[in-house]
């Protein structure tokens, strides 16, 4: 049976600075607690804003994609490898 | 054409958030949620800090080369000792193990990536910021309370500077990153296995990843809790570890011992998983017993955690608990014995390819076995009462770390390097490195063990010329230099081989697990199509089927 519908949708998330920004904010928050308190406030704010952005983009991505899908596997012997083997034998 | 699980020929499609913009390579890496990018960055970071730890070991040993030496001043020595311990555990052992897991587990189980791509990027950044915090303290006040800052000495009464705070935040961030990575790997293994990849068919390296991840989830959580409590004690008038205010320093010992036992497990299990795969591939035989090895790894994870009181035999704990811990620690010999038996069964009669991965694996087996024998001695309460806190204690840890984290991970690196880069690592340099590490480890830690039995305390700044301590310490220092040369040789080999290594193809060892089906280096989505998984050796099945179909 032939079909034009993809058997699987492979989602590749776009590179993003938000995880790095959350980590930087969290680190500044913790370091600020024992060095200079304003660092903690700035760090906390950065972590909160970046986390919010991260959550929003993740929710948007989840809404676009299928909730679950069944992966299709290729039968063995795989045609490409068999072709190669036949070519070598010839 | 029929498929493994349906009647439609598989033709997956890539879905992306938009057309990828052209960015510099470093920006791509820093922002990538792809498991291979994150894994490679963690492996590179772990290898770099392993090299740094080797150099720090040489500096520490130079101070101890001769009795009553004044090469390094006492404060600098204590700081170097503290940071070198942190470097080994938090900056080398953990990221190397989890970097290899992040890279290889999705490939081995036929997944498109880790379950949470951006979380893996977040884990990497937490680790980077932990590293930055720890090493930035060198500009201000580095920690000087050892690898494990036990209260009450780490409470603000006795350590009023910010060194301990730097330790808590730096190690805490790095550890949080690894705990999140462990959660990600557990989620991936539970939800993203390819059709047919039942647990009984999951490769042993991925089994090791599963056990290590569960162990780190438990023990890492305990350590993070202890760090938080110590921070509250120091800055917010907490009394968790204050014996005078109904707290107890012993709580720290329990929580940190659970974690350091977990580190011991994370040092050994990736090596065991990798060695199992290597022995099978390079002996041309299926493993003598796959399931016993998987079961043994689970047993090591459970017994290793339960034996945490093994590190506290000298603490004031009721004898019944000590006996229980001794039982768990001694019982560990059973799964290790089972693993060794199966490894030797695999090697026997095999057509051995004497290449670098196999040689490193054999070196790791011999070194780990010596370390475990020493550890078994310390598992017995009266013996530990005599040895605990001496240089023999350090020597035992040294054998396990070099056997597992250095030789085991180097075996894994040589084995999977062709998959990661498409090239093999230089064979001559690998052999030089292996010989140097093997000579170095015995020269460093055997005399250190004997010096410990001769009552030399662990981690001392200075010792006096009593008995044969001067000779033993001098040999140990020479050994540390040789060991460091061996470690640096492999790190340099890995760097140089990226450009100059021989091209390897996608399956240079004729491996049997699924990662060898992917291209080398694998594309972003790993596989265009995943083959049917019908056994624990999918690549062997494919080769057999191709042979049958063409003859």
């Amino acid at each position: 049976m032939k079909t034009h519908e993809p058997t699987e949708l492979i989602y590749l998330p776009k590179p993003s600075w938000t995880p790095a920004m959350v980590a930087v904010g969290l680190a500044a928050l913790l370091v600020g607690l024992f060095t200079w308190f304003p660092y903690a406030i700035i760090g906390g704010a950065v972590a909160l804003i970046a986390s919010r952005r991260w959550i929003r983009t993740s929710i948007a991505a989840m809404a676009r994609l299928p909730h679950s899908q069944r992966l299709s596997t290729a039968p063995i012997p795989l045609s490409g490898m068999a072709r190669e083997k036949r070519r070598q034998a010839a | 054409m029929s498929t493994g699980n349906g009647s439609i020929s598989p033709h997956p499609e890539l879905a992306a958030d938009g057309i990828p913009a052209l960015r510099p390579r470093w920006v791509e890496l820093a922002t990538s949620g792809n498991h291979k990018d994150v894994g490679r960055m963690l492996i590179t970071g772990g290898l770099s800090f392993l090299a740094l730890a080797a150099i720090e070991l040489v500096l520490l040993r130079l101070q101890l080369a001769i009795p009553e030496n004044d090469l390094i001043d006492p404060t600098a020595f204590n700081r170097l000792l503290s940071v070198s311990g942190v470097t080994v555990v938090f900056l080398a052992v953990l990221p190397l193990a989890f970097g290899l897991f992040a890279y290889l587990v999705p490939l081995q189980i036929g997944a498109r990536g880790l379950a949470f791509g951006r979380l893996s990027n977040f884990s990497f950044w937490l680790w980077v910021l932990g590293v930055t915090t720890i090493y930035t303290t060198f500009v201000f006040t580095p920690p000087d309370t050892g690898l494990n800052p036990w209260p009450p000495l780490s409470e603000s009464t006795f350590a009023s500077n910010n060194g301990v705070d730097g330790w808590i935040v730096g190690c805490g961030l790095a550890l949080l990153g690894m705990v999140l990575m462990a959660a990600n790997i557990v989620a991936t293994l539970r939800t993203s296995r390819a059709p047919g990849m039942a647990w009984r068919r999951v490769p042993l390296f991925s089994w090791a990843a599963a056990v290590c991840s569960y162990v780190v989830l438990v023990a890492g959580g305990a350590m993070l809790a202890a760090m938080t409590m110590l921070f509250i004690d120091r800055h917010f008038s907490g009394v968790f570890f204050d014996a005078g205010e109904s707290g107890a320093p012993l709580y720290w010992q329990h929580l940190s011992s659970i974690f350091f036992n977990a580190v011991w497990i994370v040092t050994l299990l990736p090596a065991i998983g990798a060695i199992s795969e290597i022995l099978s591939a390079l002996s041309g035989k299926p493993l003598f017993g796959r399931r016993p090895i998987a079961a043994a790894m689970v047993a090591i994870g459970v017994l290793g955690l339960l034996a945490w009181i093994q590190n506290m035999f000298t603490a004031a704990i009721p004898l019944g608990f000590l006996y229980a811990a001794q039982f768990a620690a001694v019982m560990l010999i059973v799964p290790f014995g089972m693993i060794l038996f199966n490894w030797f069964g695999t090697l026997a009669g095999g057509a051995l390819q004497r290449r670098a991965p196999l040689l490193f694996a054999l070196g790791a087996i011999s070194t780990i076995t010596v370390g475990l024998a020493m550890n078994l001695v310390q598992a017995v309460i009266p013996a530990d009462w005599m040895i605990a806190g001496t240089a023999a204690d350090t020597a035992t840890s040294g054998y396990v770390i070099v056997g597992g984290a250095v030789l085991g991970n180097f075996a894994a690196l040589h084995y999977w390097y062709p998959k990661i880069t498409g090239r093999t690592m230089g064979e001559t340099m690998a052999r030089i490195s292996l010989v140097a590490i093997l000579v170095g480890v015995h020269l460093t830690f055997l005399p250190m063990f004997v010096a410990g039995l001769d009552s030399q305390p662990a981690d001392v700044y200075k010792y006096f010329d009593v008995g044969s301590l001067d000779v033993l310490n001098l040999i140990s220092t020479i050994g540390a230099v040789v060991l460091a040369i061996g470690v640096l040789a492999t790190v340099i080999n890995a760097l140089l081989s990226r450009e100059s290594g021989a091209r390897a193809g996608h399956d240079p060892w004729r491996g049997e697990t699924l990662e060898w089906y992917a291209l080398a280096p694998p594309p972003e989505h790993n596989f265009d199509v995943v083959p049917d998984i019908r056994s624990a050796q999918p690549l062997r099945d494919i080769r057999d089927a191709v042979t049958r179909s063409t003859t």
Side-chain angles (χ1 to χ4, degrees):
Chain A
M1 183 177 133
K2 296 272 182 194
T3 174
H4 296 294
E5 287 294 308
T7 49
E8 182 195 355
L9 212 52
I10 303 169
Y11 173 60
L12 303 172
K14 204 165 70 169
S16 166
W17 280 108
T18 43
M21 293 314 294
V22 177
V24 169
L26 190 63
L29 170 69
L30 292 173
V31 170
L33 288 178
F34 71 89
T35 53
W36 192 48
F37 200 67
Y39 286 154
I41 295 170
I42 296 167
V46 170
L48 267 179
I49 293 165
S51 302
R52 188 165 169 268
R53 191 178 155 77
W54 187 355
I55 292 166
R56 283 167 72 109
T57 50
S58 297
I59 289 172
M62 280 174 68
R64 280 204 311 275
L65 293 167
H67 279 252
S68 65
Q69 57 182 349
R70 194 177 162 84
L71 198 78
S72 296
T73 56
I76 295 173
L78 297 157
S79 53
M81 292 177 77
R83 246 196 328 271
E84 178 67 14
K85 184 89 178 177
R86 273 195 293 271
R87 194 183 62 75
Q88 283 174 0
Chain B
M1 180 198 277
S2 73
T3 68
N5 59 352
S7 58
I8 300 168
S9 164
H11 49 285
E13 262 184 27
L14 296 181
D17 289 330
I19 299 166
L22 272 179
R23 303 164 186 223
R25 182 67 186 140
W26 72 269
V27 176
E28 290 263 322
L29 281 174
T31 56
S32 171
N34 188 292
H35 72 104
K36 293 178 289 295
D37 291 334
V38 173
R40 260 192 0 220
M41 289 191 289
L42 280 175
I43 293 168
T44 309
L47 279 178
S48 310
F49 281 102
L50 201 58
L52 186 60
I55 294 167
E56 288 169 349
L57 173 69
V58 170
L59 289 175
L60 289 170
R61 286 305 318 171
L62 283 176
Q63 163 61 25
L64 296 171
I66 52 172
E68 300 179 61
N69 196 2
D70 286 318
L71 182 70
I72 304 173
D73 80 84
T75 312
F77 182 85
N78 280 346
R79 288 172 174 173
L80 192 61
L81 184 74
S82 307
V83 175
S84 72
V86 167
T87 304
V88 170
V89 172
F90 292 94
L91 312 187
V93 169
L94 289 174
L96 259 180
F98 280 95
L100 284 168
F101 294 158
Y103 195 100
L104 292 164
V105 167
L107 285 166
Q108 287 199 322
I109 62 170
R112 303 294 184 191
L114 286 170
F116 305 109
R118 285 189 182 148
L119 187 67
S120 66
N121 184 257
F122 181 55
S123 303
F124 167 74
W125 276 103
L126 284 176
W127 178 79
V128 168
L129 289 158
V131 171
T132 312
T133 308
I134 290 162
Y135 273 88
T136 308
T137 59
F138 265 103
V139 183
F140 307 102
T141 319
D144 52 6
T145 44
L147 164 63
N148 187 1
W150 286 9
L153 292 178
S154 54
E155 295 276 13
S156 43
T157 318
F158 299 101
S160 54
N161 63 43
N162 283 343
V164 174
D165 298 314
W167 182 92
I168 294 171
V169 172
C171 294
L173 285 170
L175 180 57
L176 179 62
M178 293 305 112
V179 170
L180 292 176
M181 184 62 91
N184 208 342
I185 284 167
V186 167
T188 307
L189 278 161
R190 290 185 66 88
T191 62
S192 305
R193 280 174 284 131
M197 183 61 82
W199 273 105
R200 65 181 183 280
R201 294 172 183 163
V202 167
L204 284 173
F205 188 74
S206 293
W207 265 98
V211 177
C212 285
S213 299
Y214 277 113
V215 163
V216 166
L217 279 178
V218 174
M223 191 68 196
L224 285 171
M227 288 169 168
T228 309
M229 287 190 270
L230 183 59
F231 198 79
I232 291 171
D233 271 15
R234 287 175 59 82
H235 294 282
F236 302 101
S237 310
V239 291
F240 289 107
F241 305 121
D242 187 348
E245 297 278 351
S246 77
L250 202 60
Y251 298 157
W252 174 275
Q253 280 199 45
H254 279 291
L255 293 170
S256 65
S257 290
I258 291 172
F259 173 69
F260 283 105
N261 257 29
V263 169
W264 186 86
I265 294 166
V266 174
T267 305
L268 289 176
L269 285 193
I272 291 172
I275 291 168
S276 303
E277 309 260 1
I278 292 167
L279 295 189
S280 167
L282 276 82
S283 66
K285 282 172 66 184
L287 268 171
F288 186 69
R290 272 188 87 258
R291 289 185 193 185
I293 294 181
M297 287 198 288
V298 175
I300 289 168
V302 174
L303 287 171
L305 273 187
L306 288 178
W308 86 86
I309 294 178
Q310 185 199 0
N311 302 329
M312 303 167 60
F313 281 163
T314 50
I317 295 173
L319 211 53
F321 288 105
L322 299 189
Y323 285 141
Q326 174 182 276
F327 178 74
V330 172
M331 280 300 288
L332 275 168
I333 204 68
V334 176
F336 276 116
M338 205 151 82
I339 289 170
L340 280 176
F341 174 75
N342 281 292
W343 281 346
F344 290 134
T346 308
L347 285 171
L352 300 182
Q353 296 180 53
R354 290 180 181 78
R355 301 288 300 275
L358 182 69
L359 298 177
F360 269 98
L362 295 175
I365 293 171
S366 65
T367 311
I368 290 171
T369 307
V370 175
L372 290 178
M374 289 175 170
N375 208 58
L376 185 65
V377 172
Q378 282 192 262
V380 181
I381 296 170
D384 186 75
W385 282 343
M386 288 191 284
I387 292 174
T390 68
D393 216 348
T394 316
T396 306
S397 307
Y399 265 109
V400 173
I401 287 171
V402 174
V406 178
L407 288 168
N409 282 333
F410 283 1
L413 184 71
H414 282 85
Y415 182 62
W416 280 298
Y417 194 86
K419 181 54 54 186
I420 297 171
T421 64
R423 292 170 186 270
T424 48
M425 285 174 69
E427 195 77 18
T428 313
M429 191 83 149
R431 283 165 196 251
I432 292 169
S433 165
L434 176 64
V435 171
I437 292 172
L438 284 177
V439 171
V441 68
H442 294 300
L443 276 184
T444 309
F445 296 115
L446 214 51
M448 197 185 282
F449 190 79
V450 177
L453 296 181
D454 233 355
S455 302
Q456 179 174 324
D459 304 339
V460 281
Y461 161 67
K462 197 179 263 193
Y463 62 93
F464 298 101
D465 188 6
V466 181
S468 52
L469 286 187
D470 53 343
V471 180
L472 291 171
N473 278 284
L474 184 62
I475 296 172
S476 186
T477 302
I478 294 167
V481 174
V482 178
L483 177 61
I485 290 170
V487 172
L488 290 173
T490 289
V491 175
I492 292 167
N493 193 11
L495 278 174
L496 296 179
S497 300
R498 276 193 65 189
E499 299 297 327
S500 62
R503 290 199 183 277
H506 72 279
D507 183 16
W509 316 115
R510 288 180 69 79
E512 297 183 340
T513 42
L514 202 52
E515 74 272 25
W516 300 108
Y517 175 67
L519 295 174
E524 197 170 4
H525 56 288
N526 291 348
F527 311 93
D528 286 338
V529 286
V530 180
D532 283 345
I533 314 292
R534 296 173 188 171
S535 75
Q537 292 98 20
L539 268 273
R540 174 175 294 223
D541 295 344
I542 293 172
R543 285 190 205 108
D544 290 349
V546 168
T547 307
R548 276 199 306 274
S549 75
T550 52
T551 51

